[in-house]
Amino acid sequence: LDKGAVAISGGNFAQGAADSSLASQYLVGSLDDIRLYSGLLSAGEVQALVDAADYTCINCNDTGPIAEYKFEALSWSGAASVEDSSGNSQHGTPLNGVSPELVSSPVSCRALNVPYNDDTAKVAVDTLVDVNAIGERGTVSFWYRSNAPWIDGGNRQLLDASLGDKYFYLTLLDSGKLAFGLEDSADKDLQYRSNVMSFMADEWVHIGLSWDIVSQDIHLFINGREAFIGGQSTLSQSTL
C-alpha cells in the first residue's frame, strides 16, 4: 500500500477487495484522538489511552504514535491541513466536506465531523501513513461516535487503507459487528469479525485494534477491555 492509503472514514475498499458489499455506506458521525502505532499495545496501554485526561499518554516503551490526529483546529483548508501532532509530519488532507466541529459531550474540544454517507467518494481525512511503514505489527486507537445506533445503522467504513487490488479496512457492519480485513502481498487474506455490540446513537466508544501479520494475532479493545474478534486467515507474507 502506498503513502496516503490510510484514510480515516472513507475510501471504497471495494476496488477489487473481498467483502465489497460490506462498505456500501460510510459513517455519519464523529471521530477523535486517532493514533497509529508501530507495534502492539498491551491491554493496559490501551486502557491508559481510554483513561487519559489529556493527550500526553504514551506506551510503556516510551514510544509515541507514528501519527496522531486531535482535530483541534478551528478549520481546515486544502492539502495537509489536518495536523499530525506526533511530530512526524503525517499531516492529513480533508476530503468532501469533513470538518472539525464542537460536538455535544465531546471527548475533547473538537472532533472530526463526517457529515454524510457516500458509496463512491472518499468522505474522510486522507493521511500520509503507509501501512507497510508501520511494520509487521501495528495498533490503531480512536474514539468514535455514530449518529445512528450500532445495530441497524448501516455499514460504516471507519478505516480504509485499500489500494488497487489490495485491501486493509475496519468496518462497522449493520449487524453491530466490527469487520477487520487485510490482504498480503501474495494475495492471501485475513477476515475477522467481532461479536455484536449494541451501542446507542451519539455514544462515544473507544476502539483499539492491534495486528501482528507474522503470528496472525489480532486483538480488539472496546472502551479499554479486550473483546472477541475472530475469523479466518490464509496470510503467507509479512508485507501487505
Side-chain angles (χ1 to χ4, degrees):
L1 303 182
D2 291 339
K3 283 188 175 181
V6 176
I8 305 300
S9 169
N12 190 351
F13 78 82
Q15 310 170 58
D19 282 352
S20 60
S21 62
L22 299 184
S24 59
Q25 300 176 344
Y26 302 96
L27 74 91
V28 173
S30 305
L31 296 169
D32 201 8
D33 195 19
I34 297 170
R35 308 183 190 206
L36 292 159
Y37 290 87
S38 179
L40 303 180
L41 267 64
S42 69
E45 290 166 342
V46 174
Q47 183 65 58
L49 292 174
V50 177
D51 295 339
D54 53 29
Y55 292 109
T56 61
C57 180
I58 56 176
N59 68 23
C60 293
N61 295 320
D62 291 334
T63 302
I66 63 172
E68 180 178 7
Y69 304 96
K70 300 178 182 178
F71 309 122
E72 296 298 343
L74 294 176
S75 62
W76 299 320
S77 178
S81 60
V82 182
E83 182 184 7
D84 167 23
S85 301
S86 72
N88 295 319
S89 299
Q90 308 273 20
H91 305 305
T93 297
L95 303 175
N96 295 307
V98 298
S99 62
E101 183 179 63
L102 289 168
V103 293
S104 60
S105 302
V107 174
S108 58
C109 293
R110 289 178 175 81
L112 165 66
N113 177 47
V114 182
Y116 65 95
N117 284 336
D118 195 298
D119 61 357
T120 59
K122 290 182 179 179
V123 185
V125 168
D126 194 4
T127 76
L128 288 177
V129 179
D130 179 351
V131 173
N132 279 313
I134 294 175
E136 299 167 345
R137 303 167 182 84
T139 301
V140 61
S141 162
F142 60 95
W143 288 93
Y144 171 52
R145 179 185 68 92
S146 176
N147 287 9
W150 278 40
I151 298 175
D152 297 330
N155 295 324
R156 286 148 283 184
Q157 192 80 323
L158 305 181
L159 173 71
D160 195 342
S162 305
L163 185 68
D165 64 349
K166 297 293 186 294
Y167 62 88
F168 184 104
Y169 66 88
L170 178 65
T171 305
L172 173 57
L173 305 179
D174 183 68
S175 64
K177 295 182 178 183
L178 286 170
F180 175 59
L182 62 85
E183 182 178 7
D184 69 17
S185 57
D187 295 328
K188 302 300 182 180
D189 306 295
L190 181 145
Q191 298 282 340
Y192 273 33
R193 296 190 185 189
S194 73
N195 289 331
V196 173
M197 289 173 277
S198 56
F199 293 108
M200 302 303 295
D202 297 322
E203 182 175 358
W204 281 103
V205 179
H206 188 271
I207 299 172
L209 179 74
S210 66
W211 62 91
D212 185 331
I213 300 174
V214 176
S215 65
Q216 301 181 31
D217 195 18
I218 310 298
H219 293 275
L220 174 67
F221 302 92
I222 301 296
N223 290 330
R225 295 188 175 185
E226 187 156 9
F228 170 81
I229 189 167
Q232 297 181 336
S233 174
T234 60
L235 298 181
S236 63
Q237 303 294 320
S238 61
T239 56
L240 303 178

